[in-house]
Amino acid sequence: MVIDPIRYFRRRRRLMQEAEDEAFYLRRRFGEEAHRAALDKLQRPDLTSWGKQVVREAARLLEKN
């Protein structure tokens, strides 16, 4: 299997953009409890694998702040 570096880069950039958007939304909605809300959201069974990656990255971003 050959990994296309351009495709990987675009996918990673899209993941980071969506995670930043999710983190912004969670901060605006939950304030100081945004990180906890992200962790709670990760437990939802209806999230797709992409959604879990986005929320996991958003939680990582929120943990830093």
Side-chain angles (χ1 to χ4, degrees):
M1 183 168 119
V2 177
I3 298 174
D4 183 5
I6 294 171
R7 188 174 180 188
Y8 174 79
F9 175 73
R10 287 181 181 157
R11 183 174 171 88
R12 183 71 183 156
R13 186 174 56 188
R14 185 175 141 226
L15 173 66
M16 292 305 295
Q17 181 60 49
E18 288 188 24
E20 288 172 4
D21 292 346
E22 182 72 17
F24 178 76
Y25 166 76
L26 290 170
R27 262 191 232 110
R28 191 178 67 219
R29 182 154 184 225
F30 295 102
E32 293 294 320
E33 295 296 316
H35 183 256
R36 177 87 258 165
L39 295 178
D40 290 344
K41 191 170 185 178
L42 271 175
Q43 304 304 316
R44 289 177 41 183
D46 63 335
L47 280 179
T48 63
S49 61
W50 178 256
K52 285 182 184 179
Q53 288 179 35
V54 169
V55 175
R56 191 176 301 119
E57 191 65 31
R60 191 181 65 77
L61 291 171
L62 290 168
E63 185 177 36
K64 291 180 180 178
N65 296 331

